[in-house]
Every structure is written in structure tokens, then in C-alpha cells.
């Protein structure tokens, strides 16, 4: 009896904590948005084909958001998200269409290249101690050039039909690309929340000095984070290649801003040490909803950027106001991981990515 | 120009006098000197390989016009970096300012100077708003300016499509085309005429350089900005209104970005939404290559000019050598990473020497 009551109390407090979190807010926003869209489209939003297109183009934003989140959780920024994704997508396309490489090998080569570039970026940051922001800015420029050199002004669409079919196939109207993204998110969540290596990443991001003193090599965590980020970008490039009608030099050009928007709306702190896999996925959902609503009411595409910008501003400002309100009431909610309230009031004026600054 | 610029250099270069007051670092560690030598050497190299490089009207004039614009962009970034913040929306603020200038000329029929003032006021206002949000909420400036980038990206396109027919203001007030194409050769003091290589638009850049140099070297306000960047907590405790200084820095950044947008619009001849699309990378390149720290507290106004010039010379020289546009980015990225690594190595080596000599 007592154990059951204890458990009930634990569950209740966990529920209460959950109800205060960003994730719940996002979940409500997603549900409300879906309902509103369903009403506006008089029910056709929940029909097969429209669900399918909705989810089809959700896979890549989720994956790039997660890729950025991994870099953010050790306090690094990855500006090369779009360039690396575009480069890998073009590499896969060129290998298949021009090189005649089988689809499986080409995809593997693309994903491995992206991972390797992430690894090299991480090693470079650690070796030179240059700020990660600047290093990824440099790699972004290099990769943009490499992507353009790879494809030039062409659009490559003559690649493997198998991959294309896989990208388009959608059992039960749930596209395989979306399933891929969800599986990647689940694996990442398991890694972050359950593995020692994942906890080390968060420790190094949350307080590098304390992590070092407890025997965690922050350098190794930075390298690991960039490698993981590269791997996720490689998978994002795979889903993009599979679902797009063709790859050209514009693939990845508009990935950078959404990649930051998803984790930030999802509640990840730029200073490192926090992670929100579900929040990032839901934030990608919200952005996709805005996009769909835009198409539903046939508005100018510029509205998306405007609205996403307002949503990001509103999220961060609202979160801050919420925090200070809770502090006034004297019960700060336990975030993941719990952040002491003192550090929260401090204006975060310091640069987010101080990993290689010293 | 030289004297004002030199005084700013010695005044703001705190890395040598602040950190190690007893032992001055050897002169070859001076980053600005290295940059200057590199620019001259590269210019000479390109001149020898392609004598057309020294063609005053066809090569040097557009080169210097680009450098003038991008230097102002780099200065816009430098001002926010000095308080340890970032401005990712620098390009969009430029587009926002240019929108107002174009609106003023097209709809209100303003003369050239009044349109410029309107443009600067708009830029200053949007910058101040960004700074106010950052200071008020304490959210990292990276997030706020990123969101502002989204908002302005959407807003500027929406306003252009609402206000104009073909998404551009093409009305040119009297004096605009002169400003665009005149060089010093068109301004004569009696029989002595200036060089046809130096565009008249450089006057704005020189004004901005002198103004900022004076601000950082000679005024209390500039010192307070730097102190806010170096250590916000210490600055706050020594009685500096850090929030107000942050707003000031962002407002100045917006003002300079708008000026750069105006200059870019003048050099292309139309006021379009795409102005400033490519400003983000050069803004960081110029400031960081010149020796401004991303963490705040150290700026080099003349360094921004030199860093931008180096990038401009490399770009133009490779272009003349027949390196395709697609490969330019690869080389630029490599140059950025190499220059920063070399700088790092130089600092470490010289620091060891100084330590050993004590």
C-alpha cells in the first residue's frame, strides 16, 4: 500500500514537473495547431496523402535540429550544418549518377564522409583551440565551395530508383524517411539519457571545469559531439536525397536557421549542458505546421521566416519570464539537468561556444 | 586617414598592454602588421602574375568599393563583439535600412541625404530593439539576433512585395549615380586630381573608421563598452550601466549595418530584398582576422579594415587568375583557418619566449 502511494507520489511529482516543461507547452501547441489546421481544411488535413506529405518533409528538419542539438549540448555551435548536409547529399547523388556506384555503397560513403568531416572539425577545434564558431564558419565556406564544385549548376536526378522508391514509400501513410528520423531520435535519446558516454557529453557541456576535475576529457567530448553531429547530418542528407526529386547546389542552403530554431524552441540552452530530444522533435513539428498553414492559406512564403522568428523570440522571452516568475514564487522547476537558479538569472552575455577559446 | 587609424590601433590594442604589462611582446606578433605585410605581398604577387590587377578603373575601383562596403559590415559586427555579443542579423539589418532608403526615394521623393538619414535611423532603431530584448531578457545575443534574422528576412520580403511591383525600388534620386561611379579623379583641387582607383563611397567607410576609432580610443563610453565585454560582472560592480551599454552597442551595430546596406544598394543601383544576403560571413571574417576577440573586450578598428582588405584582395586576385567562383569559397575557408592557426601558433611561440626570458 505504502509503496503504491510512494510510487503515485513520485509519478505525480514527475507529472507536475513535466507539465511545467517546455515539452508540454510544445505538445499542446502541436495538438492545437493540428486541430486548427484540421478545422481550417475541413478535415482533409488528416487524410492519407496530406499526412504523408506533412511527414515526408519533416524528417530532414528533425535530423538537422538534432545534429545542432548535439553540438549545442557541449557548448559548441555548428554553422556547417547546411553546407555539410548539402555536400553529402550531392556526394551521394554524384557517386550514384556519375560514378555508377550501387545505392547502398554510395549512401554509406556519404554518411561516413559526413561523419569523418565532423570528426576532423572536432579535432581541429581541439588541436588549435580556435573558437568552434569560427572553425565551423571556415568549414562551412570550404564545404559550400566543394559542393558547388561537385555539382556546379546541374541538378542530378539520375540516381538509383531503389533509393527513390524507398524515400517515397510510405506504409500506412507514414513515410520511411520519417521513421528513419524517429529511430535516429530514439537512439540519440537513449545515448544521451542512458549511456555513460552521453552523460559525459552533458557534464562537459554543463561545467567544463568540474567535468575535467572529475576525470572527463572535455577535448574528447568536443570531438565526439562534432562527430555525432556529422553523423546525424549525414543521415539528414540521406533522407533529403531520397525524398527530393534531385540534388543540386541549393540543397542545404536553407538548413542553418531551422537547425538552430528547433533546439532553441525545444528548450536547449546555448551555453551547453542541457538536452531535449523530444523538445527538438516537437519544435520541428511546430515549424512544419507553420509551413503547412502557410500553404493552406496560400500566403507568401516569407511569412514562414517571419513567424518562426517571432516564435523563437517569444519562446526565449516567455521562458525567461516564466523562470523569473517561478523564482519569485520560490520554487524553480527541475530542468534536465537541474540548473541552479543563480546561473539562470545571470544574463547569458558570454559567448555560447567558449569550448576552444582558452 | 592614416593618423586617425594609427591612433586607434595603439589605443585599442589591449591584448599586449593589458595582459602582460611588464614584457611587451616582440613586434612581429602584432597581428595588424602581419596582415598588412600579407596584403602588400599578395597584391604584388597578383600584380606580377596578372598586370591587369593594377588596372585602376576596371579592377582596383570595384575592389576598393567592395572593400569599403564590407569594412563597414565588419565594423558593425565589431561593435557588438566588443561587448561580447554577436549580431547574426547584420545582413538583414542592412536590407531593412536599405528598404527605408528606397521607400524614402520612391514614395516620399526625398533627396539623397535625407534618405540616407532615414535608412540610418531605421537601422539604429532595429538594432536598439534587438539590444533591448537581449539586455532585458538576458537571453544569449546569438539566439535573439538569429530570431531577428528570421523576422527581418520575412518582413523585408513581405514589405517589398507589398510596396513595389517587381520587388525592388528603382527610383534613383539626384546624385545617386554620381555617388556610385565617382572616384577621387572626379574631385579636383585646382590642377591636382585624386586617383581614379579610390571610389567616392569610401568617404563613408573613412568616417565610420574614424568615428569608431575615436569612440574606442578616446572616450569613456568606448572604454565602458570594452569593459562590459571583458567582464560583465566586474563592469556592473564598478558602476557601469551594462544593460545600457549593450543596447548602445547593438544600436550602433544596426546603424553601421544600415549604412553598409545603403552602400551596397548604391553600388548595385537598386534597392532589393537580397541586399545583405552575403554579409554574415565577411562580417566575422573581417573582424576576427583583424584581431577582434569573439569573447569580447578586445577590438581592433584598423584590423577590421585590414582583414576585409585581405579577403577582398585574395578574392579578386584568384578571380583574375581564372580560379572559378565555385573554388573561391574553398580557398577562402582554408585561408581563414590557416590564418587563425598561424596566429595561434605565433602567439603561443612568442608567449613561451617571453615566459622563458623572465
Amino acid at each position: 500500500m505504502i509503496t503504491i502511494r510512494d510510487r503515485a507520489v513520485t509519478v505525480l511529482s514527475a507529472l507536475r514537473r513535466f507539465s511545467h516543461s517546455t515539452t508540454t507547452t510544445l505538445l499542446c501547441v502541436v495538438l492545437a495547431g493540428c486541430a486548427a489546421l484540421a478545422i481550417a481544411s475541413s478535415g482533409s488535413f488528416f487524410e492519407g496523402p496530406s499526412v504523408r506529405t506533412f511527414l515526408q518533409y519533416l524528417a530532414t528538419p528533425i535530423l538537422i535540429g538534432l545534429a545542432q542539438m548535439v553540438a549545442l549540448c557541449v557548448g559548441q555551435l555548428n554553422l556547417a550544418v547546411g553546407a555539410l548536409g548539402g555536400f553529402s547529399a550531392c556526394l551521394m547523388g554524384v557517386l550514384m549518377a556519375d560514378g555508377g556506384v550501387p545505392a547502398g555503397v554510395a549512401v554509406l560513403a556519404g554518411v561516413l564522409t559526413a561523419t569523418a568531416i565532423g570528426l576532423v572539425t572536432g579535432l581541429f577545434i581541439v588541436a588549435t583551440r580556435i573558437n568552434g564558431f569560427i572553425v565551423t564558419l571556415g568549414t562551412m565556406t570550404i564545404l559550400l565551395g566543394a559542393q558547388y564544385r561537385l555539382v556546379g549548376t546541374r541538378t542530378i536526378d539520375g540516381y538509383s530508383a531503389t533509393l527513390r522508391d524507398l524515400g517515397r514509400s510510405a506504409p500506412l501513410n507514414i513515410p520511411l524517411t520519417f521513421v528513419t528520423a524517429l529511430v535516429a531520435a530514439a537512439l540519440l535519446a537513449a545515448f544521451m539519457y542512458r549511456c555513460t558516454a552521453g552523460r559525459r557529453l552533458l557534464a562537459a557541456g554543463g561545467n567544463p571545469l568540474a567535468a575535467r576535475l572529475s576525470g572527463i576529457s572535455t577535448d574528447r567530448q568536443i570531438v565526439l559531439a562534432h562527430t555525432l553531429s556529422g553523423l546525424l547530418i549525414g543521415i539528414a542528407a540521406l533522407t533529403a536525397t531520397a525524398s527530393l526529386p534531385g540534388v543540386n547546389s541549393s540543397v542545404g542552403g536553407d538548413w542553418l536557421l531551422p537547425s538552430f530554431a528547433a533546439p532553441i524552441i525545444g528548450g536547449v540552452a546555448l551555453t551547453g549542458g542541457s538536452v531535449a530530444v523530444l523538445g527538438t522533435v516537437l519544435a520541428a513539428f511546430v515549424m512544419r505546421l507553420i509551413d503547412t498553414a502557410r500553404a493552406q492559406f496560400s500566403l507568401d512564403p516569407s511569412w514562414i521566416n517571419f513567424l518562426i522568428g517571432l516564435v523563437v523570440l517569444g519562446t526565449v522571452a516567455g521562458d525567461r519570464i516564466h523562470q523569473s516568475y517561478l523564482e519569485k514564487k520560490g520554487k524553480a522547476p527541475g530542468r534536465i539537468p537541474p540548473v541552479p537558479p543563480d546561473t539562470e538569472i545571470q544574463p547569458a552575455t558570454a559567448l555560447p561556444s567558449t569550448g576552444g577559446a582558452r | 586617414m592614416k593618423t586617425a587609424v594609427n591612433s586607434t590601433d595603439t589605443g585599442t590594442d589591449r591584448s599586449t598592454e593589458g595582459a602582460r604589462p611588464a614584457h611587451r611582446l616582440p613586434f612581429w606578433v602584432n597581428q595588424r602588421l602581419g596582415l598588412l605585410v600579407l596584403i602588400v605581398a599578395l597584391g604584388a604577387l597578383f600584380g606580377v602574375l596578372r598586370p591587369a590587377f593594377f588596372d585602376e578603373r576596371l579592377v582596383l575601383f570595384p575592389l576598393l568599393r567592395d572593400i569599403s562596403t564590407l569594412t563597414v559590415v565588419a565594423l558593425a559586427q565589431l561593435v557588438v563583439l566588443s561587448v561580447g555579443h554577436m549580431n547574426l542579423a547584420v545582413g538583414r539589418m542592412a536590407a531593412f535600412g536599405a528598404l527605408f532608403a528606397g521607400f524614402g526615394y520612391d514614395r516620399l521623393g526625398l533627396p539623397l541625404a535625407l534618405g540616407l538619414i532615414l535608412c540610418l535611423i531605421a537601422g539604429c532603431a532595429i538594432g536598439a530593439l534587438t539590444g533591448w530584448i537581449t539586455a532585458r531578457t538576458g537571453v544569449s545575443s546569438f539566439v535573439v539576433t538569429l530570431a531577428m534574422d528570421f523576422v527581418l528576412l520575412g518582413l523585408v520580403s513581405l514589405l517589398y512585395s507589398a510596396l513595389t511591383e517587381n520587388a525592388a525600388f528603382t527610383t534613383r534620386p539626384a546624385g545617386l549615380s554620381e555617388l556610385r561611379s565617382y572616384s577621387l579623379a572626379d574631385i579636383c583641387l585646382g590642377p591636382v586630381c585624386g586617383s581614379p582607383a579610390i571610389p567616392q563611397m569610401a568617404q563613408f567607410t573613412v568616417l565610420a573608421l574614424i568615428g569608431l576609432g575615436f569612440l574606442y580610443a578616446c572616450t569613456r563610453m568606448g572604454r565602458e563598452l570594452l569593459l562590459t565585454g571583458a567582464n560583465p560582472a566586474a563592469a556592473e560592480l564598478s558602476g557601469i550601466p551594462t544593460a545600457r551599454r549593450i543596447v548602445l552597442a547593438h544600436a550602433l551595430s544596426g546603424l553601421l549595418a544600415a549604412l553598409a546596406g545603403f552602400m551596397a544598394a548604391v553600388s548595385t543601383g537598386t534597392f532589393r530584398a537580397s541586399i545583405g544576403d552575403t554579409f554574415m560571413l565577411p562580417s566575422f571574417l573581417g573582424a576576427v582576422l583583424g584581431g577582434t576577440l569573439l569573447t569580447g573586450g578586445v577590438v581592433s578598428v584598423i584590423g577590421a579594415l585590414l582583414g576585409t582588405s585581405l579577403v577582398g584582395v585574395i578574392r579578386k586576385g584568384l578571380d583574375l587568375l581564372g580560379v572559378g567562383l565555385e573554388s573561391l569559397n574553398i580557398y577562402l575557408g582554408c585561408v581563414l583557418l590557416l590564418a587563425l592557426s598561424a596566429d595561434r601558433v605565433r602567439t603561443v611561440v612568442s608567449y613561451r619566449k617571453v615566459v622563458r626570458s623572465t
Side-chain angles (χ1 to χ4, degrees):
Chain A
M1 191 65 196
I2 291 170
T3 47
I4 291 172
R5 189 176 294 162
D6 275 358
R7 191 159 296 166
V9 167
T10 338
V11 167
L12 265 182
S13 73
L15 263 181
R16 193 170 302 135
R17 214 178 321 134
F18 186 70
S19 72
H20 279 302
S21 70
T22 325
T23 318
T24 327
T25 325
L26 279 175
L27 204 59
C28 296
V29 170
V30 167
L31 291 178
C34 284
L37 266 180
I39 293 166
S41 64
S42 55
S44 72
F45 177 68
F46 285 123
E47 278 163 21
S50 106
V51 169
R52 195 161 151 180
T53 33
F54 181 84
L55 295 179
Q56 179 89 47
Y57 293 105
L58 187 55
T60 316
I62 289 181
L63 285 167
I64 54 175
L66 290 176
Q68 190 66 260
M69 189 198 73
V70 173
L72 288 180
C73 81
V74 289
Q76 294 272 318
L77 300 168
N78 190 356
L79 295 188
V81 166
L84 183 53
F87 173 74
S88 324
C90 288
L91 184 69
M92 290 179 201
V94 166
L95 278 180
M96 281 184 284
D98 298 356
V101 179
V105 181
V107 163
L108 198 64
V111 174
L112 282 184
T113 313
T115 316
I117 291 174
L119 176 69
V120 170
T121 311
L123 285 177
F124 192 86
I125 291 172
V126 169
T128 59
R129 304 268 160 209
I130 303 175
N131 197 309
F133 181 84
I134 291 296
V135 173
T136 49
L137 195 69
T139 48
M140 177 181 97
T141 321
I142 295 175
L143 286 169
L144 279 180
Q147 183 187 0
Y148 197 80
R149 186 180 253 191
L150 213 54
V151 291
T153 50
R154 323 174 270 158
T155 295
I156 296 171
D157 49 6
Y159 50 79
S160 156
T162 331
L163 183 66
R164 202 178 291 259
D165 289 343
L166 276 179
R168 297 245 174 85
S169 68
L172 301 174
N173 282 322
I174 296 174
L176 276 186
T177 49
F178 178 66
V179 176
T180 316
L182 280 195
V183 168
L187 286 179
L188 185 68
F191 175 75
M192 281 296 180
Y193 294 119
R194 295 274 163 238
C195 285
T196 326
R199 304 314 291 183
R200 278 202 195 122
L201 269 186
L202 290 179
N207 191 336
L209 188 62
R212 217 164 27 239
L213 291 178
S214 40
I216 298 170
S217 157
T218 37
D219 286 355
R220 221 171 284 164
Q221 307 313 319
I222 289 174
V223 174
L224 177 64
H226 276 279
T227 316
L228 259 183
S229 187
L231 174 67
L232 285 167
I233 294 167
I235 301 174
L238 165 65
T239 58
T241 318
S243 53
L244 287 176
V247 288
N248 56 20
S249 57
S250 73
V251 174
D254 51 355
W255 286 12
L256 182 62
L257 296 180
S259 86
F260 278 110
I264 291 167
I265 298 176
V268 176
L270 271 188
T271 37
S274 66
V275 66
V277 177
L278 186 59
T280 308
V281 173
L282 286 175
F285 250 97
V286 172
M287 291 197 290
R288 182 83 187 99
L289 274 175
I290 294 176
D291 195 9
T292 317
R294 202 269 316 161
Q296 179 70 37
F297 299 111
S298 51
L299 291 169
D300 195 291
S302 309
W303 278 101
I304 307 175
N305 288 322
F306 183 65
L307 287 177
I308 289 180
L310 285 187
V311 168
V312 173
L313 268 185
T315 318
V316 289
D319 193 39
R320 187 65 49 168
I321 291 163
H322 186 63
Q323 287 286 323
S324 54
Y325 169 74
L326 286 174
E327 271 152 21
K328 245 178 233 166
K329 277 178 71 182
K331 49 167 190 179
R335 295 176 60 152
I336 317 168
V339 186
D342 291 359
T343 57
E344 280 291 303
I345 326 170
Q346 292 283 341
T349 41
L351 188 83
S353 63
T354 46
R358 285 280 75 86
Chain B
M1 174 182 167
K2 205 75 181 172
T3 51
V5 146
N6 274 342
S7 72
T8 66
D9 192 13
T10 48
T12 52
D13 190 8
R14 307 181 339 141
S15 59
T16 47
E17 60 184 43
R20 290 171 284 279
H23 303 277
R24 285 191 64 83
L25 290 172
F27 75 93
W28 50 269
V29 185
N30 191 332
Q31 200 173 2
R32 261 70 66 199
L33 197 68
L35 274 178
L36 193 62
V37 170
L38 204 57
I39 293 168
V40 171
L42 277 174
L45 179 72
F46 289 133
V48 169
L49 290 176
R50 287 279 183 283
F53 188 74
F54 291 128
D55 189 317
E56 288 185 326
R57 284 183 194 279
L58 291 179
V59 177
L60 288 186
F61 180 76
L63 173 65
L64 286 179
R65 201 167 60 184
D66 285 353
I67 290 178
S68 315
T69 310
L70 291 181
T71 303
V72 177
V73 178
L75 289 178
Q77 193 64 256
L78 177 141
V79 177
V80 270
L81 288 179
S82 76
V83 290
H85 281 207
M86 284 186 186
N87 187 359
L88 297 187
V90 66
R92 273 353 128 185
M93 288 184 182
F96 188 71
L99 168 79
F100 275 82
F103 181 74
Y105 297 142
D106 197 65
R107 291 298 166 87
L108 311 177
L110 296 177
L112 189 68
L114 279 182
L116 175 60
I117 290 173
L118 184 66
C119 161
L120 295 183
I121 291 174
C124 194
I126 195 76
L129 175 69
T130 314
W132 182 78
I133 295 174
T134 318
R136 189 76 184 75
T137 61
V139 179
S140 153
S141 65
F142 184 88
V143 182
V144 175
T145 54
L146 185 79
M148 199 47 101
D149 191 64
F150 269 116
V151 170
L152 291 181
L153 180 66
L155 186 67
V156 168
S157 316
L158 284 177
L159 284 179
Y160 267 111
S161 48
L163 292 171
T164 62
E165 280 163 15
N166 44 8
F169 290 116
T170 46
T171 311
R172 294 182 190 176
L176 191 134
S177 47
E178 284 82 357
L179 185 62
R180 177 185 173 194
S181 54
Y182 270 21
S183 63
L184 282 191
D186 296 300
I187 300 167
C188 291
L189 275 174
V192 186
C193 288
S195 156
I198 298 172
Q200 210 196 336
M201 270 208 310
Q203 59 180 331
F204 297 119
T205 314
V206 174
L207 275 180
L209 282 171
I210 293 176
L212 278 191
F214 179 75
L215 174 75
Y216 281 113
C218 307
T219 64
R220 185 194 166 93
M221 192 81 89
R223 286 284 151 190
E224 292 185 350
L225 283 175
L226 289 174
L227 190 54
T228 308
N231 192 336
E236 184 77 50
L237 290 177
S238 14
I240 296 172
T242 46
R244 239 179 284 163
R245 292 296 165 267
I246 287 170
V247 175
L248 173 77
H250 278 276
L252 264 180
S253 175
L255 183 106
L256 287 167
L259 176 63
F262 177 79
M263 290 166 73
V266 168
S267 43
T268 53
T270 48
F271 292 84
R272 281 173 293 112
S274 62
I275 286 171
D277 267 352
T278 54
F279 276 5
M280 196 180 86
L281 183 69
S283 76
F284 282 103
L285 270 181
V288 170
L289 280 179
T292 300
L293 284 191
L294 279 185
T295 37
V298 178
V299 296
S300 168
V301 176
I302 185 70
L305 173 67
L306 290 176
T308 311
S309 308
L310 178 67
V311 176
V313 166
I314 292 175
R315 202 176 260 278
K316 198 74 182 177
L318 289 180
D319 195 23
L320 278 183
L321 286 181
V323 175
L325 266 178
E326 65 270 26
S327 312
L328 262 180
N329 274 332
I330 304 183
Y331 291 112
L332 274 182
C334 293
V335 165
L336 170 70
L337 292 182
L338 273 182
L340 288 173
S341 313
D343 194 49
R344 179 83 206 157
V345 169
R346 220 170 35 184
T347 318
V348 168
V349 168
S350 67
Y351 181 67
R352 281 201 187 135
K353 268 192 184 166
V354 171
V355 167
R356 210 174 294 146
S357 67
T358 54

